[in-house]
Amino acid sequence: MNQTISASGIATTPPNLQTGAVRFFGGTVEFPTYVLTYAVPADGVVMWQPSHALSLCLVRSPSGTGKSTWVASLDDWLRGIRRRSEKLSFVAQGGADSSRNAVALIPQNPPIVKHWRVRDLVPEPCAYLTALLTPDVLTKRVGELSGGQIRRLYTASSLAKLAESPAEQCFLLLDETFDGLGVDEAADRLKRIADVWKGKPLFVLLVTHLDADQLSASSAASSRLEMSIQRPGDRAGTVLVRNW
Amino acid sequence: MTRTRRNVRDMVIAATILGASAALHRMLDHYKILDLTPISIFELTASDGKALALTFGAAVVAWICGIALGYLAGMAISTITVERLHLGEVVRWAKTFNFLFDAVYIVPLVVTLSLAGGFALYIDTHAWWLPRWVTGLGLVICSGFVLGGYQIYAAVYYATVQSRRETRALMRSLYLRPRGLGARLGRFGHRLRLVKSYRDAEIRSFAEAMKRALHLSIVAVMILEVVRPGIYESFFPSTGAQLGWTNGAGYGVQIAQSNFLFVRMSGVLWSVLFFDLFAVRLLEELMDHRWLQFDKARQ
């Protein structure tokens, strides 16, 4: 990463934006029932590098600070469904051309279609399924899996779809998908994804409550930027965004 | 209580009602009110039995054709409108179809069937080369499509256009293996699969719509029989003597009511109720086997 990290861990020099990045600005976002204030110490940049096969970014903050809404907005924006990025308190460079992007989002509470056959959700063979689950799940129905297994199955399915897409760059947005596994297992699954992913650049953004320092410990390079998201009269918290 | 046990319980209750009624009828013959209990089924004539068989058969045909057409319409319109397809004019036509179908559903079935019946009469008169049973079958299918088919159409269409944000995000993200015809339709096939996944996410609503469609198909056919007396003559043309049973059970109920034949009317209605109970239970078993057993299973 060509990015300077301050002693506090906050990114002070933005990365080379030519490579593609989402830059977050401080501001107020009005939602139908509440207002969120995003306070970014220095303009925050979540970045991806087309030269990297895989970029990981970690987003962390207390519950109720709008992470899921923020990630869903990012999903819409990357797909080109929403064009007014200023409303979402971020702008992007490199990722603005939605026709070049393939995007997948696993929501925090995804719908569980229990009668689906697992084998209908992945191609055969599927390296991502093997990386995230045991192969015996292929013969099962979704309803026979645990909640955590279902989220990982959805992740494997999304990775398979991203890999098959003709897009130039892929984005996988995971909303607390691995939180039930604990730090070590979550880090292990992320490493397995990195091991099996081949080809075009993949940018993984993981929203989590897990310990960011522990999660990133296994990563060679990391950078950090912090944003605080305040919901007046409700909660105030800090969103930690970590690239590595 | 499992569904199978509940179904057995319902059947036992139905049999008990029938048996108790028969026993009471024998013991307390002078209480005529008891004649209106399910024992009235045994007072029906062979002609009533034929009329009921025709009504039940037509209801099943109306249901099958209605849900097939409703499902096709729902899938087609949803596939066109899903994901903001850039097909401008086609999307407008699809939305117009949705508006019209909503409107037709609101119009009383009697009016719809009267208009369709007039159209069928016109065809019968002018298209001499067309077999008569075609218009009869057309009216039966029309009755099933307008009431029962709409339930299926609406279940698919609104599962797609009113899906939750999480559902939309997930379904757009998943690798959904196209199967059957969809696998050969390329991009359109992928959209069909996407719409099917929205339906799957609301599978309980879809299953409820299937049941409602069955109930309504029976209602629709009985209304059709009242609006178009002798509807089944197009299938069983008589030479000379009029066959009462070709009017169907719906018309039979109306005639019985006009002539104060309450026992006969009661017998027909109890028969329809038992048929509805049996058919719905059978359908629930089928849907349980295919979908709902997994939805109900604990993780």
Side-chain angles (χ1 to χ4, degrees):
Chain A
M1 289 275 186
N2 50 353
Q3 190 170 6
T4 307
I5 311 299
S6 70
S8 64
I10 296 174
T12 52
T13 306
N16 177 10
L17 293 178
Q18 298 304 312
T19 59
V22 176
R23 173 179 284 226
F24 298 90
F25 291 105
T28 301
V29 184
E30 292 181 14
F31 294 94
T33 54
Y34 58 92
V35 175
L36 283 181
T37 302
Y38 291 75
V40 184
D43 287 346
V45 178
V46 176
M47 62 169 291
W48 61 91
Q49 299 259 17
S51 58
H52 288 35
L54 186 101
S55 308
L56 286 175
C57 176
L58 193 72
V59 178
R60 187 166 177 255
S61 81
S63 298
T65 49
K67 296 188 300 297
S68 294
T69 308
W70 177 77
V71 171
S73 302
L74 182 62
D75 174 56
D76 282 351
W77 191 80
L78 286 168
R79 290 176 187 275
I81 295 172
R82 285 190 189 183
R83 299 290 179 187
R84 297 185 60 191
S85 59
E86 71 280 2
K87 186 76 176 171
L88 307 174
S89 196
F90 62 77
V91 294
Q93 293 175 311
D97 184 2
S98 58
S99 65
R100 293 173 57 206
N101 298 340
V103 190
L105 165 64
I106 308 301
Q108 188 177 347
N109 296 306
I112 296 173
V113 186
K114 294 183 177 178
H115 68 272
W116 272 353
R117 290 185 176 88
V118 171
R119 67 169 180 267
D120 287 339
L121 295 178
V122 287
E124 290 184 62
C126 181
Y128 310 109
L129 186 76
T130 317
L132 295 174
L133 290 156
T134 51
D136 65 308
V137 299
L138 259 180
T139 57
K140 293 184 176 177
R141 300 262 184 174
V142 169
E144 295 175 78
L145 308 181
S146 69
Q149 284 178 315
I150 292 169
R151 286 185 183 82
R152 276 176 278 147
L153 167 67
Y154 287 166
T155 305
S157 177
S158 299
L159 281 165
K161 186 176 181 184
L162 291 175
E164 282 196 356
S165 76
E168 295 172 30
Q169 51 194 6
C170 301
F171 297 83
L172 178 61
L173 314 177
L174 304 173
D175 194 352
E176 302 186 18
T177 305
F178 296 136
D179 277 22
L181 290 172
V183 172
D184 294 338
E185 283 290 312
D188 180 55
R189 295 302 196 283
L190 288 172
K191 283 177 73 176
R192 289 192 200 181
I193 291 174
D195 289 341
V196 294
W197 181 262
K198 298 283 187 296
K200 58 202 159 201
L202 170 67
F203 175 73
V204 179
L205 187 140
L206 176 65
V207 176
T208 182
H209 287 288
L210 297 173
D211 190 297
D213 291 324
Q214 287 185 39
L215 249 185
S216 60
S218 59
S219 184
S222 66
S223 61
R224 171 190 292 187
L225 64 91
E226 290 182 356
M227 295 190 303
S228 65
I229 298 180
Q230 293 184 338
R231 183 182 290 192
D234 186 6
R235 296 185 68 103
T238 299
V239 172
L240 170 69
V241 181
R242 181 187 293 265
N243 296 301
W244 78 90
Chain B
M1 188 182 286
T2 64
R3 182 170 298 284
T4 307
R5 286 183 63 190
R6 198 160 62 240
N7 289 345
V8 170
R9 181 201 63 186
D10 289 349
M11 291 302 169
V12 167
I13 289 173
T16 306
I17 291 172
L18 208 56
S21 303
L24 283 169
H25 181 69
R26 289 183 70 83
M27 287 186 294
L28 307 165
D29 192 37
H30 53 286
Y31 292 115
K32 294 299 178 190
I33 190 72
L34 294 172
D35 288 344
L36 301 183
T37 60
I39 194 66
S40 55
I41 290 173
F42 299 110
E43 300 295 325
L44 296 177
T45 62
S47 178
D48 292 329
K50 285 180 184 175
L52 279 167
L54 281 177
T55 300
F56 297 157
V60 171
V61 170
W63 177 71
I64 291 172
C65 295
I67 62 168
L69 291 174
Y71 189 67
L72 279 175
M75 290 296 285
I77 301 299
S78 304
T79 303
I80 291 168
T81 50
V82 75
E83 299 285 297
R84 294 172 174 77
L85 248 182
H86 300 296
L87 291 174
E89 196 61 31
V90 181
V91 174
R92 273 193 288 279
W93 276 106
K95 288 184 175 173
T96 304
F97 177 86
N98 183 60
F99 175 78
L100 286 175
F101 203 177
D102 279 347
V104 169
Y105 181 68
I106 293 168
V107 174
L109 183 68
V110 173
V111 177
T112 307
L113 290 180
S114 296
L115 289 172
F119 184 61
L121 190 63
Y122 179 84
I123 291 175
D124 273 344
T125 311
H126 291 83
W128 52 267
W129 42 268
L130 204 65
R132 280 195 70 200
W133 59 265
V134 172
T135 48
L137 182 64
L139 283 173
V140 169
I141 292 173
C142 176
S143 64
F145 181 54
V146 173
L147 278 194
Y150 179 82
Q151 301 297 320
I152 304 298
Y153 167 82
V156 174
Y157 181 76
Y158 290 108
T160 303
V161 299
Q162 293 180 352
S163 53
R164 289 191 307 139
R165 184 174 187 158
E166 289 85 357
T167 306
R168 284 199 305 276
L170 182 73
M171 298 311 173
R172 286 192 302 232
S173 304
L174 291 180
Y175 175 94
L176 300 167
R177 187 198 296 267
R179 288 188 299 177
L181 180 66
R184 293 192 288 275
L185 292 178
R187 198 174 170 199
F188 188 75
H190 170 72
R191 289 185 188 283
L192 274 175
R193 186 73 182 86
L194 188 63
V195 171
K196 192 160 170 280
S197 71
Y198 286 127
R199 182 212 70 176
D200 286 344
E202 301 292 337
I203 198 65
R204 279 176 180 263
S205 301
F206 185 74
E208 283 301 317
M210 293 275 279
K211 278 199 297 183
R212 273 200 309 277
L214 183 54
H215 291 307
L216 289 172
S217 295
I218 299 168
V219 173
V221 163
M222 291 185 75
I223 291 174
L224 173 66
E225 290 165 352
V226 173
V227 175
R228 301 287 301 170
I231 178 81
Y232 302 115
E233 280 186 12
S234 58
F235 301 98
F236 305 99
S238 60
T239 51
Q242 191 179 8
L243 302 172
W245 52 270
T246 54
N247 290 320
Y251 188 73
V253 169
Q254 193 198 28
I255 293 298
Q257 188 186 16
S258 304
N259 295 313
F260 304 106
L261 301 171
F262 295 117
V263 176
R264 186 179 170 208
M265 190 175 78
S266 172
V268 172
L269 291 179
W270 277 111
S271 302
V272 170
L273 283 173
F274 281 122
F275 171 75
D276 182 68
L277 178 78
F278 173 76
V280 167
R281 288 293 175 264
L282 189 65
L283 178 64
E284 281 182 344
E285 286 297 327
L286 289 172
M287 291 193 300
D288 251 23
H289 176 71
R290 185 161 174 77
W291 300 313
L292 300 181
Q293 59 165 318
F294 307 104
D295 210 45
K296 290 170 191 161
R298 284 184 170 181
Q299 285 183 349

